[in-house]
Structures are given as C-alpha cells and as structure tokens.
Amino acid sequence: MTTSFSETLRNATWGDHQSAEAEGYLTELMAGRLTEHEYGEMVAQHYFAYVALDGVSRELADHPVAGAFVFPELYREAALERDLTTIYGPSWRDRVTPSRSTTALVDRIRKVADWPCGYIAHHYTRYLGDLSGGQFIRMELQKIYGYDRGGGVDFYFFDELGSLPRFKNDYRSRLDALDLDERERQRMIREVRLAYRLNADVLTELLDVVRTAA
C-alpha cells in the first residue's frame, strides 16, 4: 500500500518533533516550576514568530499552491496580544524583544516565503503542533496559572475551526494533494526538520534565560 505524503512527512520528522517537545523549558513549564512572567517569555517569542508567519500567510493568500494552506481563522497575533496583556499588563510591548533564536526562526520564515513548500513546512510545523500537543499544554497551563478564555492561553483556542480532528484531517489531505516530485518532497522534509530545530533552539535559549535569572 502506498504511503501518503502526510504520513511520510510525519514519519520522517517524528524524531525532530519529539526532540523539540522534550526541551527542558517545556518540562519546567509543565511541572509548574516557572513563574507567570517566565511563561510569558515563551508567549513573547511566539508573538514575534507568528507575526512573521501570519504576515507571510497574508502575502501568499492568492498563491496557487501556498494559498491552500492559508487559513485566516488560524492567525494568532490578536490572541497573543491578549495573552501578553494578561501576563504583563497593557505596557507589554515595552518589555518584550525577540531572542537571538527567535530572530533566526523569523529570518528563515521570511527567507523561504517565495518557496511554497518552504512556507508550508513552517506552517505545518507550528500549527499542527498547536492543534495537537498544544491543546494538552493549554489545559496544563490553565491548571497551573488559573487562566480562562480572554487572556493568558488564548493562543491555544481555535474556536473558529470547529472540530480540530476534522480540520487536521483536511490539512493532511491538502498535503497529500500537493503535486511534488521526490526531490521536492525530500526538500520539504528537510525544511520541516530545520523548522523543528529552529523552534527547539528558541526553547533552549528560554531555559538559559530562566536559569540565568535564577
């Protein structure tokens, strides 16, 4: 039986996915050992990454290939602004800056914006994770910090999507429908692996910041 591209992509990058999830910062966060402001450091880095990713999405909305992966209902900027306001107050913009690793991730997202599969690789890496393991993270954060809808964990709420499993299945169907030769498939797989590493680097740097502050 022929393996679908979405399954091939998942299998080829699963080790990178697991490595990113195993980052020490997330371990500390999920164990409830970080302050609200230390959690906010991750939210801030997400903000800069998603401003870039969703900005590229808007630019590619009419693209014949990449446009199939542009979903305005996924855009996270407004949700992250609410979260940062809840965590740091209305002057949050004065205290957040992109880290070195986040800057590298943002630069890569923008660099591959003119390559449809490069954009899709970063979109897939972030959003499929947010819609899967991200939902577990949200529930734990709500227990730890007492957040509810309206700020703190709004980043993880995707109410406009309806059924998350149905949306993810549709997303995978769109991956399977991509008309790619084997060379382009392998190139996209390499970009997904790079995206996981860049995102893991962001978490590694966050843990260094937390440890230094302690």
Side-chain angles (χ1 to χ4, degrees), residues 45 48 97-105 201-203 205-206 209:
Q45 301 314 309
F48 293 109
T97 56
S99 68
R100 175 185 51 78
S101 298
T102 296
T103 299
L105 172 61
D201 287 347
V202 173
L203 296 176
E205 188 170 355
L206 280 173
V209 169

Side-chain angles (χ1 to χ4, degrees), residues 50-209:
Y50 281 89
V51 166
L53 183 58
D54 293 341
V56 171
S57 291
R58 292 182 179 93
E59 294 170 6
L60 296 175
D62 296 324
H63 191 279
V65 177
F69 295 84
V70 174
F71 303 92
E73 58 269 37
L74 285 178
Y75 294 164
R76 295 291 89 192
E77 184 174 348
L80 286 162
E81 289 177 350
R82 290 194 298 273
D83 292 342
L84 287 166
T85 299
T86 296
I87 296 166
Y88 293 126
S91 300
W92 62 267
R93 292 181 188 275
D94 296 333
R95 63 160 296 155
V96 302
T97 56
S99 68
R100 175 185 51 78
S101 298
T102 296
T103 299
L105 172 61
V106 166
D107 287 348
R108 185 63 187 178
I109 289 171
R110 290 175 175 157
K111 182 175 181 179
V112 299
D114 59 352
W115 169 36
C117 286
Y119 159 73
I120 296 167
H122 287 270
H123 194 275
Y124 163 86
T125 300
R126 282 300 335 172
Y127 277 116
L128 263 288
D130 299 334
L131 295 172
S132 300
Q135 299 307 298
F136 169 76
I137 291 175
R138 171 184 60 79
M139 291 186 287
E140 291 303 303
L141 292 174
Q142 288 184 281
K143 295 175 187 175
I144 294 167
Y145 301 109
Y147 294 130
D148 204 347
R149 293 174 185 270
V153 288
D154 277 15
F155 169 77
Y156 297 101
F157 284 112
F158 292 88
D159 296 335
E160 294 183 16
L161 294 182
S163 168
L164 298 191
R166 183 171 62 244
F167 178 84
K168 289 189 290 184
N169 285 336
D170 174 67
Y171 195 103
R172 294 184 185 104
S173 295
R174 293 174 187 232
L175 288 172
D176 295 337
L178 289 170
D179 184 16
L180 308 177
D181 59 24
E182 185 58 24
R183 181 184 178 194
E184 187 68 357
R185 286 187 174 204
Q186 291 303 317
R187 187 183 177 203
M188 182 173 170
I189 287 170
R190 289 194 297 272
E191 190 65 30
V192 170
R193 297 188 69 184
L194 174 60
Y196 278 128
R197 291 197 295 274
L198 290 172
N199 280 280
D201 287 347
V202 173
L203 296 176
T204 297
E205 188 170 355
L206 280 173
L207 183 60
D208 291 342
V209 169

